[in-house]
Every structure is written in structure tokens, then in C-alpha cells.
Amino acid sequence: MNAVNPAFAVIGRVNKGKSSIVSTLTEDDSVLIESGAGTTVHCREFPVRVDGQTLLTLIDTPGFQQAPRALAWMQAHEVSAANRREVIKNFLKKFDGTDDFVDECRLLKPIMAGAGVLYVVDGAKPFRRNYEAEMEILRWTGQPRMALINQIGAGDYTSDWQPALDQYFSIVRKFNAHFVGFRDRIRLLESFRELHEPWRPNLEAAIKFLKGDWERRERAAIYTIAKMICEQLTFVRELVIERYERAEDYRLKLEREFHDALRDNEKKARRNIEKLYQHHKIEVQDSELAKPIFDEDLFAETTWSMLGLTYKQLVGIGAFAGATVGGAMDATLGGSSFFMGTLVGGALGAGSVMFYSNQRLASIETLKKFVKGSQILKIGPHQNKNFPWVLLDRALLHYISIRNLAHSRRMRINLSDENKKAGITSRLGNDQRKVLTKIFNNIRKKDPGEPTRQPKDLELELRLLIKKCAD
């Protein structure tokens, strides 16, 4: 524990949120956090790392148990203020390894080895004079000291704590471990930097590294979302059956496999983003990506009954049917602009509610291609105009929830509740909506057989959207 690797011992009374603060600052959801007192019984080091390099170390410690009695022993052996640090060393020599002052010895050892002090109190509870013994012992160590007022409950006694803590600690900050974001963590590191001048260069390097890593994560998340959307909009499912078999017998199988593949691809993208932000044990509850509804209209039935036609006939009828459907849709809904306005402005208010319309969701066709006497059935890509907006809304809601989630919050993230609110994309301006519509249309024009490459303009628009959400 030295200037190369600054260390901070997180100290405080039991069940005041010490482990929560360690978990949040180190982005480590393996830190044990329980509601009962005394969960931490041994010191445990948690490094803050970027690219394998340790920037600083936090030490989770057991809480004080017998601070008044320990201070009484120390005061009895004090000669002057000049020998107080020596008194702490003698205290450790006498009691370390015995059955007396077990927790006090454990938490004082890393401090006397060079760690700074990060003292944690619960600002939801009133200040009591019996805390003074703990703070006095920490002052006797002579190490750089900072206090955090952690807000665990509904009460707020900060005004009581502040003047008391100011007498013992160089810096006092409010810090709710369950509801802080990246900027709050950086501000706390900037406060660490002011505690001890020899630590400044390394903590400045740590802050720079962490900011760069945060930007890298954002770029990776944007790439992941863009890649997922492109793959979803161009996805097709094929099934080879014997020439004598009926396509209709395999309709449900193809529909199920098509939907399962879309759903699994979205889940894979979500897991990648959760891993980016070091959330390895998170539970996310959300409504499943809605299953496409294949209309039982004339065109859908005709598509499935064209098995006896030639490939040339299939192409001709397919073109005619597409034109007819398009005209019927415009006539019924009053034009494509009205249709998109209705979908985006209203349907996305529920995030993923309006998932289909009168238009077929996916093109279903039977191609009279013969492979050793077999025929290939193909379903996809998904044609519903609202589909990319639903994908985008769900992806943004998930990303923002994960990015802003403190690692100390051991709770299930319920995105279904978020989806009941107005979707993010429904609040876009007309210009940005038009740009995204054009991008989605260009993606869909790609030949499904070509490799999936998301356009850079989609990543650019995603970056603008995410910045808007952050602001």
C-alpha cells in the first residue's frame, strides 16, 4: 500500500453501508451485502482496475465493536499527542491475534500499513456522542481521512453529522451508494486526490483511465445495439423439406423458430451490454419481445398455397401482391406518413405494446428451389414498420438502466414497468425520426444473403440519442 497503489480502508459501524460503497466504487457485484449487521468479519481488498491495471484499492473492513473501551486503553497509554500513532501500534501488538478487540485490530491493521481512511456513517440516523470514540481513534492513526454520509433510510440528519465530522476529517461528502452514477464516482475520486499529495499523480491517472474506459464502454454498447438492430431487420429463417411434403405443415415450426431467434438475439445483445458494465449477477425482468402475428388474410393464404407454381410465377405474383398490399394500406390508413406518425407517436408510448398492424409482419414464401429433390421454405425478414422502433426503444431502456445501475443494488431490474411509460423514441423530433426511418429502410434493402454490416450513420444517431438521455 503506497503511492503507486493508493489504498483506502472503508471504516464504520456495522450495517452502515460500507460494503455497498465498496461494491459501487469498484463495480464489483461479488461484494457480500446483507441487511443484517456484521456481514463483513474480515478485511478484504477490492482493486479498481482498468485493462488489468490496478488504479487503487478499497478495503472492506469489519465495523467497530468496542471503540469506547479501545479508546480508553489508548488514552491510558498516551504520553502526548506526539506518540498517539505509536500507541495504536502498541495496541495492535498487544491485542492482535487474541480474543479481545478482534474487529478493532482487523480494521486498524491496513490503516497503520498506509491506507487512507474512508469513514462511513448513516445520514438517515441522528448523530450520537458514542461515535466520537471511533472518530478519535481514527484521528490518532494520523492517516489521511475522509468521511462519507451514506443515506440508507428515509431520514436526513446531515446537518447534525456535518459539524461533528468536520472536526475529525479533512473532507466530508454525501454519497448514497445505491443511487450514484459514474460522475458521482469520479467526483469522489477527485476528493481522494486532495487528501494526500503523494497520491495525487496516481489518482489523476486513475481518473483519466476511468473516464477513457467509460467512453470505450459507450462506444461498444452503441456498436452492440446497432449490430442487433441490423441483424433483426434482415433476419430470415429457412427450412428444407422433401418435395412431396406440404409447406403448411411446417408453418408453425417456422414461425416459432423465427420468433425464438429474434428473441435470443436481443437477449444476447443485452448480456453483452451487462458484461460491459460489470453486472454479472443482475436479474432483468421484462416482457418478451412480442411474437409476430401472421395475418390470415388472402395474401398470406395465397403465399402458402403457391407450392405448385414455377419460380417465375412466384416472382410475378409476389410483386403483384406486394403492390396490392401497399396500395390497400395507404388507402386504409391515409398514407405512410400518417401510418408512421400513429405508430411512433402513440404505439411506442407503451414501449412494446403495438407490435403489429394490419400489414403482414414478415414475408412468408415458398421458393421452388430444388436441392437434391427438396424444397426450401423461407420466412422473413420482419416487415412491420414499427418493428425497428420497438427494438430501439427496448434497447435504449435496457442500456440506460444498466449503465446507471449502482453495483450495490441487489434487486431485480423491472423494465416492464418502464415500458408502461412513454417510450424514448416517441419523444424524438420529426427530423431525427425521419433520419432514423431512412436508415431503417436502407438496412432492410440489403440482400439477406449478404453479411450484416450496420451503417455508421445508425451508430451516430444512437450516440446522439444516448447523449440526450444522459443529459
Side-chain angles (χ1 to χ4, degrees):
M1 300 170 190
N2 47 49
V4 175
N5 178 18
F8 296 88
V10 185
I11 308 294
R13 196 164 292 188
V14 295
N15 205 31
K16 299 303 178 187
K18 301 188 305 297
S19 296
S20 295
I21 286 173
V22 171
S23 178
T24 293
L25 292 179
T26 60
E27 292 190 315
D28 191 337
D29 55 11
S30 71
V31 179
L32 187 61
I33 298 174
E34 301 290 348
S35 58
T39 300
T40 303
V41 295
H42 295 282
C43 290
R44 184 181 172 191
E45 295 187 1
F46 293 91
V48 177
R49 293 192 179 104
V50 172
D51 295 333
Q53 178 179 351
T54 298
L55 305 179
L56 66 143
T57 302
L58 294 179
I59 306 168
D60 196 12
T61 70
F64 278 104
Q65 295 287 349
Q66 303 181 68
R69 193 164 73 89
L71 179 61
W73 186 96
M74 295 173 188
Q75 289 171 333
H77 293 79
E78 176 193 12
V79 176
S80 69
N83 84 319
R84 285 176 175 173
R85 185 173 172 85
E86 194 65 30
V87 171
I88 300 288
K89 291 180 179 179
N90 292 334
F91 176 87
L92 289 173
K93 287 179 183 179
K94 182 174 179 61
F95 296 108
D96 189 25
T98 72
D99 293 333
D100 205 3
F101 298 115
V102 174
D103 290 329
E104 280 71 20
C105 288
R106 286 174 176 167
L107 66 87
L108 285 171
K109 284 173 68 176
I111 299 174
M112 298 308 291
V117 175
L118 195 59
Y119 184 64
V120 181
V121 300
D122 181 7
K125 302 290 178 62
F127 172 76
R128 296 286 184 264
R129 286 198 63 181
N130 57 10
Y131 285 93
E132 293 178 17
E134 302 173 10
M135 297 188 286
E136 184 68 10
I137 291 173
L138 295 175
R139 180 161 61 179
W140 280 35
T141 67
Q143 286 300 103
R145 299 176 306 282
M146 176 177 177
L148 292 184
I149 303 176
N150 189 30
Q151 207 73 19
I152 296 178
D156 188 359
Y157 293 89
T158 304
S159 59
D160 294 340
W161 280 103
Q162 189 78 43
L165 293 169
D166 284 340
Q167 299 176 55
Y168 294 91
F169 300 93
S170 304
I171 299 175
V172 180
R173 294 282 185 270
K174 288 191 69 172
F175 190 84
N176 189 326
H178 292 326
F179 298 97
V180 293
F182 178 73
R183 293 174 182 173
D184 300 294
R185 289 166 49 214
I186 291 297
R187 279 195 287 267
L188 191 59
L189 288 179
E190 290 171 344
S191 297
F192 287 174
R193 181 183 59 191
E194 304 304 317
L195 282 176
H196 190 47
E197 191 62 29
W199 291 340
R200 176 181 290 273
N202 299 90
L203 286 171
E204 285 180 347
I207 292 168
K208 182 178 179 180
F209 268 118
L210 289 172
K211 287 181 177 179
D213 184 61
W214 193 258
E215 293 174 359
R216 177 193 64 81
R217 293 186 198 185
E218 183 177 285
R219 291 194 301 271
I222 288 170
Y223 175 86
T224 299
I225 294 172
K227 182 173 183 290
M228 182 271 295
I229 290 175
C230 288
E231 290 176 346
Q232 301 286 69
L233 294 183
T234 58
F235 179 73
V236 297
R237 192 77 175 183
E238 294 183 343
L239 178 67
V240 178
I241 64 175
E242 296 297 331
R243 183 174 183 179
Y244 57 81
E245 293 184 287
R246 295 190 316 156
E248 184 63 34
D249 294 337
Y250 291 91
R251 174 174 180 148
L252 292 179
K253 173 181 173 65
L254 267 178
E255 290 180 8
R256 182 178 63 253
E257 290 181 353
F258 182 76
H259 170 244
D260 287 347
L262 294 177
R263 183 183 57 194
D264 291 345
N265 194 35
E266 182 189 53
K267 287 182 178 179
K268 179 182 176 182
R270 287 186 171 190
R271 298 297 87 79
N272 287 339
I273 288 175
E274 289 161 14
K275 188 183 299 183
L276 266 177
Y277 289 89
Q278 307 296 328
H279 288 289
H280 302 292
K281 297 183 179 181
I282 191 172
E283 290 186 56
V284 176
Q285 180 179 334
D286 192 11
S287 56
E288 291 282 3
L289 191 64
K291 186 175 181 179
I293 307 297
F294 294 87
D295 291 346
E296 295 295 336
D297 58 22
L298 175 62
F299 300 107
E301 291 175 357
T302 304
T303 302
W304 280 93
S305 66
M306 287 192 289
L307 291 175
L309 302 180
T310 66
Y311 181 73
K312 184 175 181 180
Q313 288 173 318
L314 284 171
V315 172
I317 292 181
F320 171 76
T324 305
V325 170
M329 289 298 298
D330 287 341
T332 303
L333 296 176
S336 59
S337 60
F338 172 79
F339 176 63
M340 285 304 297
T342 302
L343 282 177
V344 178
L348 280 178
S352 61
V353 176
M354 190 165 183
F355 199 85
Y356 59 92
S357 68
N358 291 334
Q359 184 181 10
R360 276 209 326 272
L361 291 182
S363 60
I364 308 172
E365 56 182 327
T366 303
L367 302 181
K368 287 298 274 189
K369 298 178 181 177
F370 291 93
V371 181
K372 294 184 178 179
S374 299
Q375 51 186 325
I376 301 175
L377 309 180
K378 185 180 75 170
I379 180 173
H382 206 307
Q383 294 300 314
N384 181 261
K385 292 183 178 181
N386 196 33
F387 184 51
W389 299 98
V390 171
L391 290 175
L392 179 58
D393 231 3
R394 288 170 62 90
L396 290 174
L397 285 169
H398 174 263
Y399 169 72
I400 292 167
S401 298
I402 297 304
R403 181 195 62 184
N404 295 339
L405 181 67
H407 287 69
S408 60
R409 295 187 69 189
R410 308 299 163 80
M411 58 177 289
R412 180 177 295 179
I413 304 303
N414 193 335
L415 297 182
S416 297
D417 289 345
E418 294 296 329
N419 289 343
K420 295 175 184 177
K421 303 174 184 177
I424 293 171
T425 58
S426 68
R427 301 192 293 270
L428 298 180
N430 288 332
D431 290 342
Q432 193 169 17
R433 194 175 299 166
K434 288 177 181 178
V435 170
L436 283 166
T437 299
K438 183 178 180 180
I439 293 172
F440 294 149
N441 290 339
N442 289 337
I443 292 172
R444 281 174 152 160
K445 291 176 182 178
K446 186 188 76 66
D447 187 337
E450 295 177 4
T452 300
R453 296 187 182 92
Q454 64 267 36
K456 290 295 181 182
D457 49 2
L458 176 56
E459 293 185 45
L460 176 60
E461 290 302 315
L462 286 174
R463 185 168 289 108
L464 293 174
L465 273 174
I466 286 172
K467 185 179 185 302
K468 182 179 295 185
C469 293
D471 295 339

